[in-house]
Each structure stands twice: as C-alpha cells, then as structure tokens.
C-alpha cells in the first residue's frame, strides 16, 4: 500500500489488516485508524481515534514534520475517509 506516494517503502497489507483488527478488538472503543509516516523511524505507524472530529488535528497539523498523515480509515467499514 502507498507505494505510489512519496514514501520510500510500501506498507504491507497484512500489517495494515493487523492494525484494523487491533483497533476493533481494543478495550477502548476506537472507530478510526490514521496511518502516519514517521520520518524519524522511516516507517508507518497507526494512530487510533474514537471520534471522527479528532482526524482534523492530523490533517491540519502542518507543524509536525516528523509524522506525516498518509490516510485515515473507518475501522469497521474499512473505507478510506482521508
């Protein structure tokens, strides 16, 4: 995933699927997954959110160059929302 974007490595789909499962099975009720590119680690990382409104802070955060938002997903429908 994301191999055509500006990131140096693609995200393995099985890893992405694991993140979705982790979000669904968490004791905390998460509804959304944001995939970030971590510049310092040179790797992708998941961020789980309960509220869709919380996505805005990742979209609007232009000051944080160490973590770049790649995409956002609804955990249950698996649809891309950002």
């Amino acid at each position: 995933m994301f191999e055509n974007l500006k990131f140096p490595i693609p995200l393995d789909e099985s890893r992405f699927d694991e993140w979705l499962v982790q979000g669904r099975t968490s004791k905390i009720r998460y509804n959304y997954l944001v995939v970030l590119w971590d510049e310092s680690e040179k790797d992708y990382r998941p961020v789980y959110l309960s509220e869709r409104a919380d996505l805005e802070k990742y979209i609007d955060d232009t000051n944080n160059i160490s973590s770049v938002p790649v995409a956002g997903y609804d955990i249950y429908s698996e649809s891309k929302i950002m």
Side-chain angles (χ1 to χ4, degrees):
M1 299 178 73
F2 314 124
E3 55 267 354
N4 293 331
L5 299 177
K6 61 182 177 180
F7 307 105
I9 60 171
L11 174 62
D12 184 60
E13 277 197 59
S14 63
R15 187 174 174 199
F16 175 76
D17 291 339
E18 287 175 22
W19 290 347
L20 290 173
V21 170
Q22 287 174 358
R24 288 183 198 125
T25 58
S26 172
K27 290 181 181 181
I28 299 172
R29 172 94 169 135
Y30 291 121
N31 295 307
Y32 303 99
L33 164 68
V34 176
V35 178
L36 297 178
W37 172 256
D38 189 321
E39 273 297 323
S40 61
E41 296 291 324
K42 300 292 185 209
D43 201 3
Y44 297 96
R45 67 181 175 92
V47 174
Y48 298 100
L49 305 172
S50 298
E51 303 294 326
R52 187 175 181 132
D54 294 337
L55 289 169
E56 296 302 318
K57 86 173 194 180
Y58 291 96
I59 294 169
D60 297 335
D61 189 6
T62 56
N63 295 327
N64 189 356
I65 59 171
S66 64
S67 294
V68 179
V70 178
Y73 295 88
D74 181 292
I75 288 177
Y76 297 95
S77 71
E78 299 183 18
S79 58
K80 188 173 181 180
I81 56 173
M82 81 174 231

